[in-house]
Amino acid sequence: MELVHRPRRLRNGDTIRRMCRETRLSADSLIYPIFVDETLSGRRAIESLPGQYQYGFDALEDAVAECIHAGVSSCILFGIPAHKDALGSSAWAPDGVIQKAIRIIKEKYPDFYVVTDVCMCEYTDHGHCGALCGCHVDNDATLELLAKTALSHARAGADMVAPSDMMDGRVAAIRSTLDAEGFQDVPIMAYSAKYASAFYGPFRSAAGSAPSFGDRKGYQMDPHNRREALKECALDVEEGADIIMVKPALSYLDIIRECSDAFDVPMAAYSVSGEYAMIKAAAQAGLVDEYRIMCESALSVFRAGANILITYYAKELAQAIEKGDIG
Ligand code: PBG
């Protein structure tokens, strides 16, 4: 058979396959989500996320040590406060759950990179991501609360803040507040194209942040939309976002690709709780090979154009990369 092109030549053996890989992964690109509960001592398994835990202050050092041991050098913190109210005031309390957690981590591990999720939903008694006006989340009133919260995280020593609320204008509000207080070097990773997704289900029970009425469709994006993601990213970049994010990841690979092509800032993707829980459940049912599915899913996110991946599998992935199973 006369065939000029035989793509199989480059697949003929492990060495040549590895040489020709188009996508390279590094543990440096992984961020691990850590849930901190200020009422807890030790760690408590999260039922909706097998293998994940909520950590009390006394268990945080161990949580970080496990990351470092696995080769993960960054986390994103989510707080579960003892006290909730209508405005979510413990979100910006100087001795709030996240503020304390940052100090504990930084004292022992000053080089471990701490990102904080900036949102009101874990702190409000109604579970929405901002201040309410009737049944509606009041955009402009919420900006001030978010900016105060981000500032208090920076004051406690956060390396980067990540607003996940989807209010209009939050990046500008946070940037100007941080700058005015001397935190011009703290970057903002904006959850720019965050969709109103069913994939957040397991997270909401883990963080106790499900809305008590209604849903988040009035502020998070409609999954039908693609061009709107470009608009959201453009606005965030204009307002000063250093990193933009698409969330969830797996059902939104097209959005990751388009946004990473369109903007010259690093692109993050969040492989959310439902994505993790689905792989776990399928593996537990004996339907798929968890390790290989984990690797392939993460790989697809980077192939789509992400530079940074937030994932509950961060530690396992870092190990897989080190072993050469992916990357
Ligand atoms: C807070 C926030 C959520 C997630 C990250 N930050 C929940 C939500 O928007 O309802 C979801 C993360 C996950 O599902 O893993 N607003």
Side-chain angles (χ1 to χ4, degrees):
M1 187 68 145
E2 260 189 58
L3 271 179
V4 176
H5 297 289
R6 290 185 181 270
R8 287 184 54 187
R9 283 183 202 120
L10 299 184
R11 293 180 205 137
N12 196 14
D14 203 39
T15 306
I16 185 68
R17 281 196 298 270
R18 297 170 80 87
M19 190 185 294
C20 295
R21 278 178 177 168
E22 297 175 41
T23 308
R24 302 280 176 184
L25 271 61
S26 158
D28 296 337
S29 311
L30 303 173
I31 301 178
Y32 182 63
I34 296 182
F35 297 92
V36 192
D37 181 340
E38 69 178 329
T39 67
L40 190 64
S41 111
R43 63 170 74 181
R44 179 171 54 219
I46 300 172
E47 238 173 85
S48 58
L49 293 171
Q52 302 301 314
Y53 299 86
Q54 293 161 333
Y55 295 89
F57 292 129
D58 56 348
L60 267 179
E61 261 184 49
D62 281 354
V64 173
E66 281 171 21
C67 286
I68 293 169
H69 182 73
V72 174
S73 48
S74 175
C75 73
I76 181 163
L77 293 179
F78 295 97
I80 303 158
H83 167 76
K84 301 189 188 218
D85 58 30
L87 285 182
S89 62
S90 36
W92 61 83
D95 61 346
V97 53
I98 292 298
Q99 294 78 359
K100 271 195 192 160
I102 299 166
R103 283 190 221 105
I104 290 168
I105 293 173
K106 283 292 178 184
E107 172 146 359
K108 182 84 198 263
Y109 299 106
D111 295 333
F112 190 71
Y113 200 86
V114 176
V115 184
T116 59
D117 185 84
V118 175
C119 194
M120 309 314 295
C121 63
E122 292 114 293
Y123 303 90
T124 52
D125 51 14
H126 45 75
H128 278 285
C129 301
L132 292 183
C133 179
C135 284
H136 178 75
V137 175
D138 184 334
N139 190 87
D140 298 13
T142 302
L143 296 183
E144 192 195 326
L145 312 183
L146 292 164
K148 275 203 275 196
T149 302
L151 176 61
S152 75
H153 292 176
R155 281 190 177 137
D159 292 295
M160 175 154 81
V161 294
S164 67
D165 51 283
M166 287 301 280
M167 298 302 125
D168 296 332
R170 78 269 167 76
V171 173
I174 291 171
R175 185 72 274 156
S176 69
T177 301
L178 290 180
D179 289 356
E181 298 288 331
F183 294 104
Q184 47 276 81
D185 289 335
V186 172
I188 299 175
M189 174 165 68
Y191 288 70
S192 302
K194 176 174 178 179
Y195 286 87
S197 169
F199 284 98
Y200 309 148
F203 172 95
R204 290 184 188 167
S205 57
S209 66
S212 60
F213 66 89
D215 53 41
R216 303 209 202 288
K217 291 180 185 162
Y219 37 104
Q220 298 181 350
M221 279 181 56
D222 183 339
H224 296 79
N225 296 351
R226 177 183 67 80
R227 283 181 304 150
E228 193 186 12
L230 291 164
K231 178 169 90 179
E232 284 284 6
C233 289
L235 288 172
D236 283 356
V237 170
E238 241 173 74
E239 290 177 29
D242 300 280
I243 299 174
I244 52 177
M245 192 199 299
V246 171
K247 176 186 173 193
L250 276 191
S251 292
Y252 297 85
L253 294 175
D254 55 331
I255 307 296
I256 296 173
R257 165 52 59 203
E258 284 209 59
C259 293
S260 70
D261 283 349
F263 300 97
D264 57 5
V265 297
M267 162 66 58
Y270 196 143
S271 187
V272 299
S273 56
E275 300 177 34
Y276 174 86
M278 278 171 34
I279 297 176
K280 282 281 177 193
Q284 256 152 31
L287 299 175
V288 297
D289 177 335
E290 180 182 6
Y291 187 74
R292 292 187 57 205
I293 294 270
M294 165 188 85
C295 291
E296 199 174 322
S297 306
L299 179 57
S300 72
V301 178
F302 287 102
R303 196 186 57 231
N307 312 108
I308 298 165
L309 175 62
I310 305 173
T311 170
Y312 301 95
Y313 275 126
K315 291 180 279 185
E316 291 82 355
L317 280 168
Q319 294 288 285
I321 293 167
E322 194 182 306
K323 279 199 277 172
D325 292 336
I326 38 166

